[in-house]
Amino acid sequence: MMFKPTFLALLLLAPPLAAARDGHANAYLSDTQVSVAMAVLPAPSTPGSAEDKADYAATDRAFADRSAADFEQAKKEEKFNAFDFAPVIGDGFRADKLPHVAALFKEAEEETKQAVDLSKNHWKRPRPCPPASECADHPEKAAKKSFGYPSGHSSRATVDAILLAQLFPQDADALMQHARDIGWRRVVKGVHTLQDIYAGREFGTALATDMLASPALQHDLAAAREELRAAGLAPKTP
C-alpha cells in the first residue's frame, strides 16, 4: 500500500521533464515511462539505519583500498560516453567517424541524465565522503554536487551497454561488464555507494528497455547499423 503514494508523487515530477524536451518529437522516452521507471526503483536504506551506515562504510573501505590504476581510470571516466566502450568494440569505434551512432547515443545519454536528475532530486540521498577524499578536503566543492541515488554513471553506462549490444550482439557480455566496471569505479573514487550503483544498473536497464520500444530509437538504430557496415565495423554474420 506504500507504493501508490510514492508512485503518484513521482508522476508529479513529469512536467519538468516534458518542459526540458518541449518540441522534441524524436525523444526515445515518454514522461510516463520515466515516471514508471522511477516508481519501480526501490527506496534506498533509511538514513542512519544500520544498513545505511554499512553501505557508506563499504565506500570508505573501497576508497581506502583503491589501487592506483583503478583510481586513475575512475578520474578519466568522470566524463564518458558510449565511445569509451571502444576497448570492447575496437579502435575504429570513434565519434568523429560515426555521426549517426554518435547522434543516437547523445540523445540516449541526455534523456538518461534527465531521468537520473529527477530521481536523484526525489530521493535526495547524500553522497559518501570517505576520509582523505576530495570531498573531505574540499567540502565546498562537494556541496555543489548532485545527490547520489541512483548513480548517473552507472545508469548511463548501463543504457549505453544495452543499446550497444543491439549493434554488437556478440559483445553483449563484455559490454555489460564494462558498464559494471564504470559503476564500480565510482565507489572506488569515493563518490557513490554500492546501493547507488546497483540502483543505477536497475534504473538504466528499465530506461533502455523502454527506449528500445521507441520507433524513433529503432529508426536511429537502423541508420547506425548501416553506418557501421559502411565503416567495416558491423558484426560478422555466421
Side-chain angles (χ1 to χ4, degrees):
M1 300 298 291
M2 294 179 64
F3 174 78
K4 290 184 178 179
T6 302
F7 178 69
L8 291 174
L10 290 170
L11 282 177
L12 293 176
L13 294 173
L17 183 63
R21 294 210 306 260
D22 186 34
H24 191 159
N26 295 322
Y28 299 155
L29 293 169
S30 69
D31 297 324
T32 298
Q33 287 173 320
V34 172
S35 296
V36 171
M38 288 170 62
V40 171
L41 194 65
S45 298
T46 302
S49 65
E51 181 181 81
D52 187 60
K53 291 176 181 178
D55 191 38
Y56 285 98
T59 296
D60 290 351
R61 290 193 298 272
F63 179 79
D65 296 340
R66 67 194 183 279
S67 70
D70 275 350
F71 193 63
E72 283 303 310
Q73 185 62 28
K75 289 193 288 186
K76 291 178 182 177
E77 291 167 348
E78 188 62 37
K79 292 184 178 180
F80 80 97
N81 59 40
F83 291 94
D84 289 296
F85 285 74
V88 176
I89 296 167
D91 293 338
F93 190 62
R94 294 170 41 187
D96 60 335
K97 301 294 184 182
L98 302 165
H100 287 294
V101 176
L104 184 158
F105 282 96
K106 181 180 179 182
E107 178 64 29
E109 289 162 357
E110 286 180 352
E111 292 191 36
T112 301
K113 183 182 184 303
Q114 290 177 17
V116 167
D117 287 347
L118 284 174
S119 194
K120 283 176 181 284
N121 290 331
H122 172 75
W123 294 114
K124 293 181 169 60
R125 190 180 197 224
R127 288 177 181 262
C129 188
S133 67
E134 183 180 10
C135 163
D137 293 340
H138 301 284
E140 72 285 356
K141 293 182 180 180
K144 297 177 181 180
K145 287 187 174 291
S146 63
F147 293 107
Y149 185 95
S151 161
H153 275 62
S154 183
S155 300
R156 287 188 288 111
T158 299
V159 168
D160 284 346
I162 291 172
L163 298 187
L164 283 168
Q166 297 292 310
L167 301 171
F168 303 97
Q170 76 281 8
D171 295 323
D173 291 342
L175 290 165
M176 188 55 66
Q177 184 59 54
H178 193 77
R180 286 172 174 262
D181 290 342
I182 288 173
W184 164 245
R185 283 189 285 268
R186 298 298 281 170
V187 180
V188 171
K189 196 170 185 284
V191 296
H192 277 296
T193 72
L194 290 170
Q195 283 191 38
D196 296 341
I197 65 166
Y198 294 159
R201 292 174 188 173
E202 186 168 347
F203 196 43
T205 298
L207 295 176
T209 300
D210 285 336
M211 287 183 188
L212 288 170
S214 161
L217 176 63
Q218 290 298 327
H219 174 273
D220 292 347
L221 277 173
R225 289 189 184 98
E226 288 301 319
E227 186 172 66
L228 290 168
R229 286 193 192 96
L233 290 173
K236 294 181 173 63
T237 55

